[in-house]
Amino acid sequence: MRKYWHVINIGMQNNLAYRVNFLARTLFGFIPLMAMLYLWRTIYAGKGQAGSEIAGYSLAEMMSYYLVVQIVDALTAVNDDDWAIAADIKDGNISQFLLKPLNYIWYRLCLFIAGRITYLAVAAIPLALFIGLQHEYFVLPKSWLSLGAFLLSTGLTALLQFFVSYAMAMLAFWVLEVSTFIFIFYAFEYLASGHMFPLDILPVGLQKVLMFTPFPYQLYFPVSIYMGKIEGAKIVSGLITQLAWVIVAYLIARAAWARGLRKYSAVGG
Amino acid sequence: MMKNNVTSDAGRVTGNERLPEDFPPPAIRHPSRLGRYFSIYTALFKNSLAREMIFKGNFLLWIVVDSLWFVMQLCFISVLYLHTDGIGSWTKWQVVLLIGASNFIQQIFQAFFLINLTNLSELVRSGKLDFLLLLPVNTRFIISLRQVDLGGFFNATAAACVMAYAAHKLSLHPTLAQVAGFFALALCGVLIHYSLMLLLAAICFWTVKAQGIVMGYYNLFNIARMPDEAFKWGAFKAVFTFAIPMILVSNVPARVLTDKLGSPGPVVILLCMAGFCALLSEFGWRASLRRYTSASS
């Protein structure tokens, strides 16, 4: 176990070298976010009377949705990990891990965690300031219980994000250029995970179909718990489903790794 | 918003270095200056085509990626309009036309300039800019247009088709003047994107690594495709109209096509901003080039 602590430690130190990059990324990210918030304000203003709702969301809830997405995203989004893993495979860098008493997937998970911690350390203050500026539109979680469930679900989201990205990166064993595949997948995820808008505004049939896929559990689910849109027994069953997806993603990632190694020829290693 | 299109082009940035001997011997065959640059550009274009055809599958997949993001934006709008009738005075198909216009401008910009500007910091870092400085052509010309991204033309055509369909849905019958005005203003939009991104890319003469900053520009495209009436609130609108004219870039051309132009004011502002950005980028470029000290050579 201790060796993995070292990996986290080293990963954090490495990442700190990119702190300006992280800061720039956070600040630039606010621009489209603000545009999106303005867009919704205009739409709600167009509805006429105050207090009107869209798909059960008041204006404040809609704005909060995007802000909470931002928080969950900062905590769980895969940064460059998938590219780095694919590059390791392509350049033959994984050979050394086959010889070391270190498991590559856990090694990578540690680096991912280290990356998130450093990112958060840099992004927390600007993010808090931004939310502070919007505070009149920011709703707090309904109860301590939903806050707890939110945090638990966010943790599972991080694992799911990581394992899915890891499994995607395994494509590098078979194809030379993985970026196009990752972007195609990511485009779907961007919409289906609720990054673009709360899934509640979709037609009901489509929502139901989406809930059978892992995408909503990559973002929408924890945010909905926070917003109090999912309550009671549904939280429990949702968390179980989310955990199941984490396990499935993990198993696929491991299987792809095992199969890939059989094909692996250690280029340049 | 970790990945978005922000990094979507990072994967494409390859260090393709061209050697000067590929260019046709200039000046002798083409006495006129313009003709000479035209023949150089033809050679560059042919080279890019040959390079893209080496990895045909990858070339096609990038077209799929860009089209998919375009479709996602259209999905977003159609879902929004399930719940509202208008964003300000913009109706659904007007916004579709706007998104088409914004993509058209962005893709034309991408076809000609994007890869080259993202590669600039690599040229500076590795000192390969030396070779380009020695060529008997304008350096800004060669660093801006070395490589052509042919997928951009395909996607621009797709965007134009979406616009045509939206125009049909709106039963618009634009006059020739309107269409010509649209293309002229779209060209101004491309010029603005190019000038601003060159300025950003030129930061690499100071910091060496500027790719992140250049990619950050991608976030601004998100504003360009939003209807201008979404921004009624002070500072944000002022900044993105008069400092970084993102709100004007595609809204003004789209308004020309959809008869939404109340007064010639926005057109004048867009033209002025295009001229201003172009001038500023030329000054910025010259100042940056003076800082160049070469590397490792």
Side-chain angles (χ1 to χ4, degrees), chain A residues 21 25 28-29 31-32 34-36 38-43 45 47 54-55 66 70 73 77-79 82-83 116 119 177 179-184 186-188 190-191 195-197 201-203, chain B residues 1-4 7-9 11 55 58 61-62 64-65 68-69 72-73 75-76 79-80 82-84 86-88 200 209 212-213 216-217 219-220 222-223 226-227 229-233 236 240:
Chain A
N21 218 329
R25 188 174 272 195
F28 269 122
I31 296 171
M34 276 176 81
M36 187 64 97
Y38 280 133
L39 183 73
W40 279 110
R41 275 207 240 175
T42 311
I43 289 174
K47 290 250 148 197
I54 290 176
Y66 285 93
Q70 216 65 19
D73 200 57
V78 171
N79 190 356
D82 35 9
W83 311 119
R116 285 302 91 198
Y119 185 84
E177 254 304 306
S179 40
T180 42
F181 292 98
I182 292 179
F183 279 123
I184 289 170
Y186 186 71
F188 281 113
Y190 196 68
L191 194 150
H195 209 137
M196 219 171 202
F197 48 72
I201 71 172
L202 283 171
Chain B
M1 191 144 319
M2 300 306 294
K3 285 191 226 165
N4 191 355
T7 41
S8 102
D9 285 271
F55 301 107
N58 207 43
L61 276 173
W62 274 116
V64 173
V65 171
L68 205 57
W69 281 104
M72 290 292 156
Q73 290 155 26
C75 285
F76 177 54
V79 172
L80 274 191
L82 290 176
H83 300 279
T84 182
I87 300 170
L200 276 181
K209 263 190 111 70
I213 306 172
Y217 189 81
N219 285 311
L220 299 181
N222 285 323
I223 305 179
M226 294 219 176
E229 285 172 36
F231 309 107
K232 285 180 206 136
W233 289 273
F236 190 88
F240 288 104

Side-chain angles (χ1 to χ4, degrees), chain B:
Chain B
M1 191 144 319
M2 300 306 294
K3 285 191 226 165
N4 191 355
N5 320 25
V6 174
T7 41
S8 102
D9 285 271
R12 280 192 234 195
V13 178
T14 46
N16 294 307
E17 295 319 319
R18 296 199 58 266
L19 290 173
E21 53 263 29
D22 300 349
F23 297 117
I28 305 159
R29 262 191 263 156
H30 299 283
S32 88
R33 209 177 144 91
L34 203 67
R36 188 168 82 97
Y37 275 96
F38 186 73
S39 76
I40 294 174
Y41 194 70
T42 315
L44 291 171
F45 195 92
K46 279 184 190 155
N47 265 307
S48 298
L49 184 68
R51 192 182 309 121
E52 300 264 40
M53 286 309 119
I54 300 173
F55 301 107
K56 283 189 209 71
N58 207 43
F59 170 68
L60 292 175
L61 276 173
W62 274 116
I63 292 181
V64 173
V65 171
D66 275 349
S67 322
L68 205 57
W69 281 104
F70 184 32
V71 171
M72 290 292 156
Q73 290 155 26
L74 295 174
C75 285
F76 177 54
I77 287 305
S78 37
V79 172
L80 274 191
Y81 275 90
L82 290 176
H83 300 279
T84 182
D85 302 322
I87 300 170
S89 69
W90 289 81
T91 63
K92 178 175 173 182
W93 288 104
Q94 286 175 339
V95 176
V96 170
L97 193 136
L98 170 70
I99 291 180
S102 151
N103 261 276
F104 178 79
I105 294 167
Q106 186 184 335
Q107 290 295 341
I108 294 286
F109 163 71
Q110 203 157 312
F112 287 104
F113 301 113
L114 183 71
I115 306 182
N116 301 305
L117 295 180
T118 47
N119 274 344
L120 181 64
S121 72
E122 186 55 26
L123 290 177
V124 172
R125 195 191 61 79
S126 62
K128 281 177 183 148
L129 189 62
D130 294 4
F131 296 106
L132 300 175
L133 284 169
L134 288 174
L135 292 177
V137 288
N138 182 303
T139 308
R140 180 171 174 174
F141 167 81
I142 202 75
I143 63 114
S144 301
L145 292 165
R146 281 195 317 154
Q147 239 173 290
V148 188
D149 177 359
L150 294 156
F153 294 113
F154 179 88
N155 288 314
T157 315
C161 292
V162 168
M163 283 171 62
Y165 185 69
H168 166 74
K169 279 278 178 186
L170 290 163
S171 26
L172 287 176
H173 300 285
T175 60
L176 199 64
Q178 273 177 313
V179 175
F182 170 81
F183 281 110
L185 290 171
L187 217 62
C188 286
V190 174
L191 182 64
I192 288 174
H193 283 320
Y194 165 59
S195 305
L196 292 180
M197 208 185 217
L198 179 70
L199 276 176
L200 276 181
I203 293 176
C204 71
F205 285 95
W206 279 266
T207 63
V208 180
K209 263 190 111 70
Q211 271 190 359
I213 306 172
V214 174
M215 287 309 169
Y217 189 81
Y218 239 99
N219 285 311
L220 299 181
F221 288 129
N222 285 323
I223 305 179
R225 50 177 169 260
M226 294 219 176
D228 45 13
E229 285 172 36
F231 309 107
K232 285 180 206 136
W233 289 273
F236 190 88
K237 184 164 187 176
V239 167
F240 288 104
T241 306
F242 294 108
I244 309 169
M246 277 309 115
I247 296 178
L248 301 173
V249 161
S250 25
N251 273 286
V252 177
R255 275 180 182 270
V256 167
L257 267 191
T258 52
D259 298 317
K260 280 175 81 77
L261 209 62
S263 71
V267 175
V268 175
I269 300 176
L270 179 61
L271 290 174
C272 291
M273 286 310 295
F276 177 70
C277 289
L279 268 179
L280 191 69
S281 81
E282 184 59 24
F283 284 126
W285 169 247
R286 288 182 183 196
S288 321
L289 213 51
R290 254 177 257 133
R291 291 230 4 142
Y292 183 60
T293 51
S294 184
S296 67
S297 55

